[in-house]
Amino acid sequence: MPGMSGWGPATLLLMVLAAAPVSAQRPYRAGLWIEAGGGGGKIHIDCSNCAESTVIYGSAGYLRGGATFSDRIAWGLELFSLLEDEFGANDQIILRQVTVSPVVLWYPWQGGVFVKGGVGISRMSVDAPATEDAPAIVGKATGSSLTFGLGLDLPIHRGIAVTTNFGVYYSANGDLVLPTVGTVDDMITTVYQINFAVTVR
């Protein structure tokens, strides 16, 4: 064709990118979306009357849903839970950390990498069944929570993506009263978790 001999590979690449649909350059999430995943986590428990931190490992899962605000921003509501049911000397104590947080997902670049941040509420619960030597133990504490993390959306089909997440949940739960045991003063928990999820829009 006349004039084509003066066009280099870089010029042709720019023409292809310019002709590509704008939606192909947007983050994967668009419109309403919902995401569910599971994995593992580690929780550090500190308090004002604790000699040292307690570290516990457990299973973690979350449910997150929301809407896309712009090409770079998505927002939603997240429910996260970490459960450990073999805690204690007799592996009979069930410990659960739950947080509910409005979150914002920010996509700093074109593609599926995002940064997450949010502030919400948390609840720590401790349950142990009664034994021949001791009565049942039930304790709950509620406080505020801060969460942040990183994630990646990997589209696998139209409307479906696999999402990986690494997150941190920092919670100030206040005092945890455990009948017949005592009070854990000013309990602060830090949860580190990694999850794999499916995102649908």
Side-chain angles (χ1 to χ4, degrees):
M1 293 179 61
M4 286 291 290
S5 60
W7 293 6
T11 304
L12 293 175
L13 178 60
L14 290 174
M15 291 179 62
V16 171
L17 293 176
V22 176
S23 59
Q25 300 181 20
R26 297 182 60 186
Y28 173 76
R29 299 169 197 252
L32 299 177
W33 51 269
I34 188 168
E35 176 185 349
K42 178 175 70 171
I43 181 170
H44 289 248
I45 303 176
D46 295 281
C47 64
S48 60
N49 58 346
C50 296
E52 59 183 16
S53 298
T54 300
V55 179
I56 304 169
Y57 295 86
S59 59
Y62 73 94
L63 179 66
R64 188 159 61 202
T68 303
F69 181 75
S70 70
D71 288 355
R72 301 279 186 175
I73 301 293
W75 58 270
L77 184 68
E78 179 183 271
L79 171 64
F80 170 81
S81 175
L82 183 138
L83 174 67
E84 170 54 58
D85 59 0
E86 296 181 351
F87 175 60
N90 298 318
D91 293 338
Q92 295 293 315
I93 299 177
I94 298 175
L95 183 146
R96 184 191 299 270
Q97 173 82 43
V98 177
T99 65
V100 179
S101 308
V103 294
V104 175
L105 309 182
W106 173 49
Y107 292 79
W109 310 287
Q110 298 291 349
V113 177
F114 63 85
V115 179
K116 182 197 76 170
V119 178
I121 59 174
S122 68
R123 165 163 280 199
M124 166 68 76
S125 64
V126 177
D127 298 277
T131 65
E132 295 181 356
D133 301 323
I137 300 173
V138 178
K140 293 180 174 63
T142 303
S144 58
S145 178
L146 171 67
T147 178
F148 53 92
L150 296 171
L152 173 64
D153 292 333
L154 297 172
I156 59 174
H157 192 268
R158 182 179 179 87
I160 301 176
V162 173
T163 301
T164 60
N165 286 272
F166 170 76
V168 179
Y169 298 82
Y170 180 83
S171 302
N173 295 303
D175 297 341
L176 176 66
V177 179
L178 300 174
T180 72
V181 176
T183 300
V184 182
D185 296 327
D186 302 323
M187 186 175 62
I188 295 176
T189 60
T190 306
V191 178
Y192 303 91
Q193 64 83 30
I194 184 168
N195 280 313
F196 297 91
V198 174
T199 302
V200 179
R201 66 168 174 88

